[in-house]
Amino acid sequence: MPHARNRNPSPIPEVTWDTGLKEMNETWKGAIACLGVAVFFVMTIGIIYWQVVDQPNKNWILRGTFSGLIWERRTHSLVIQTLSEEKTYAEIDVGNVGNPDIEVPFVRNLCWLNKTEFCYTWDSVAEVKISLEMNEETETECYSMTWTPVHCHVELKDCFSMTNVSWYGGASVRGQTWPINDQNVTMQPFIVSDLKDNPSGFGSALERYFLGSSGVAVLVSPDNPLQLGVDSRQQFCLQSLPSMERLPLQYTVCVAHDVKAAHQEAMRQLSQPSRRLPNMKALWLPFWKLLTNVDSGPKVERELRTFSNRLRRHQLGEGVISLSEHSTTLLSDMDHDYLNIRKRGMSKRLTRDLPLVKLLNISITLSPFLGVDTTQFHTSLMEGTEAYWLSLPSAPQGQLVPVMSQWRGKFCVKLNITNPGAVSWFLDRVGSLQAHLGMEHIMLEGGERNVFEEQALRPPQTLGGDKYISLLADLAARIGDSTIMTAGTRSSHKPLFVRMTSLQSDWSPMGLKGIIPSLLHHSLLGYNFLIPDAVALCLETWSRMRSCSFAGWKSQPFSPLSASTPLPGSAGRTGNAEVCGQREREKQDKGLDSVKFTKSTMSCFLQICLRVQVQR
């Protein structure tokens, strides 16, 4: 079969033009792709520059009718200002949350559908939710802030700046200042403590409320444990406790046109629906503190009569003689001995005429503590009433074991104030003393200490923090309207008196110079019925107490009431705190001459007249 010949006789090979055109098209496509990548890169750089560099330092988060919440990204601060940015109400530093070295360029609202709420997850550490509530009647705006940890054992800390703002409120401290800007308090649990055991702690009146001179009020939630620290003239900080439960840091910031309106709004949220007044007769009587070191009830009675006679002899006026818990216990035991002797039918000449104490106006001191070496405690164990005392189970289903702690140098147990039977037992004890001593005023001490937290034990939910003080205030109100508490928190509406923090006997801020700041501080928190405490000028040791001719202050209770609730005969109340100097007796029989010297010299008494009007 013949082969087919090539019809192209030319020696030059044929060229395919389609291949060149395809290569040329691919080159143009590559150039266009590179140009697109370059444009995208430039756009990305521009967007990043716009978000990081060219963004404003401030971002509005929420806006009200006259104020707004601003986020300052460089300082990691939340700032509440007027809409015109002419006035700053508060500046809150939150830079400790997450990594403070990393700038947060922009805060995106996850709750953008609701114009009065702001939600955000901060650096995968905490979730923050802020809600705005506006009250047109009072012309106030409140920002409720809740920081919730995302993980366990996370400390949340917000600090309020003191720049151009004077802050008031919080808790009483030794060396009270007004305002609190000059205080310096290390970070510690924000609970009432016994200043005798913890001088650097918080004592007397405590409320989770702070008032700023710019017209801002801070109300901290009472449901969660809290720590507080104050850096003098810089800031005060609120800090949550790290725990497995991921406890939130929750507070509300209310702003108004002036500080008066802010305070009234805070009081409206803090106050109870009704408020009762205590026995106003106590406002006109001075309280004399009797310090004596004796070991029996008859000796207490003799010292009491002697002291009362001295007051009458030198015409120092009617007043109330305050007995310590030790003297009250001795008189109570003396009463039981007297009753036992009468039951045995012994001669009346061998008994003490205890009812004569009723002729004196005395004030006794009680506490919820009971010594473990007392007959009453042993009786309660034998009767199976160990639930009357704060206890913990020995096993998950085991028997209750009372928790022991120290009180006045002795091992004691503390009354379980959540047990109705224990409350009834305590009220019966007070009623028995009232029947045999005839006292009108009762001082309740010992509510400040939390025996569980002192021993690193987990308290019951009903007794965490300062809840014991609130329950003790309820018990005090049931005793009568002449009861005096040594601490107050969330109980300003009850008909009770509050004893102020003890002061030193000098003119320092720890002494007389701190009376007016303490008075203003208590009044701001709503505790208007106060009794100053007394401090002996002689050495406060039991071995020297008997050598003191006279002990303590003659302190006149006072009440800085508002003009809307005046006392009889005046719009306010003038209070006196007279300090009597003491001279140690070289001999026991010279005590009377020492009192005469005290009476005859005007320099012995320093009269301090306090007239304060606090507009509530």
Side-chain angles (χ1 to χ4, degrees), residues 58-131:
K58 297 181 179 180
N59 297 104
W60 286 91
I61 294 178
L62 294 174
R63 294 174 183 263
T65 56
F66 64 89
S67 69
L69 182 63
I70 299 175
W71 165 248
E72 290 212 11
R73 61 182 182 87
R74 293 179 182 176
T75 60
H76 283 211
S77 300
L78 292 172
V79 182
I80 302 178
Q81 291 182 337
T82 56
L83 296 180
S84 60
E85 300 187 24
E86 297 178 353
K87 178 180 179 180
T88 299
Y89 291 102
E91 181 177 353
I92 309 171
D93 180 17
V94 297
N96 55 84
V97 180
N99 189 354
D101 298 330
I102 301 177
E103 287 192 2
V104 179
F106 184 72
V107 178
R108 185 166 59 93
N109 187 5
L110 302 180
C111 303
W112 58 273
L113 291 177
N114 193 338
K115 298 300 182 181
T116 61
E117 287 188 359
F118 174 82
C119 306
Y120 186 70
T121 301
W122 184 285
D123 200 19
S124 300
V125 175
E127 296 178 353
V128 57
K129 182 177 180 180
I130 306 175
S131 60

Side-chain angles (χ1 to χ4, degrees), residues 297-299 301-302 305 334 338 341 348-355:
K299 294 181 180 180
E301 185 184 7
R302 183 173 63 250
R305 292 178 179 178
M334 173 185 173
Y338 168 77
I341 292 175
K348 293 184 180 180
R349 293 187 301 173
L350 299 178
T351 65
R352 303 294 300 178
D353 194 6
L354 189 61

Side-chain angles (χ1 to χ4, degrees), residues 300-301 304-305 308 312 318-321 323 331 334-335 338-339 352-364 430-441:
V300 172
E301 185 184 7
L304 185 60
R305 292 178 179 178
S308 177
R312 294 178 181 176
E318 296 293 333
V320 180
I321 302 177
L323 302 180
L331 284 180
M334 173 185 173
D335 176 46
Y338 168 77
L339 294 178
R352 303 294 300 178
D353 194 6
L354 189 61
L356 290 180
V357 179
K358 293 183 178 180
L359 300 177
L360 305 177
N361 192 359
I362 66 173
S363 169
I364 65 172
V430 174
S432 177
L433 291 173
Q434 174 70 34
H436 296 287
L437 298 181
M439 76 286 180
E440 185 176 358
H441 304 276

Side-chain angles (χ1 to χ4, degrees), residues 280-286 318-319 556-557 567-570 572-574:
M280 307 298 283
K281 295 180 181 179
L283 295 175
W284 310 102
L285 297 175
E318 296 293 333
Q556 177 75 37
L567 289 175
S570 65
R573 178 70 171 98
T574 299

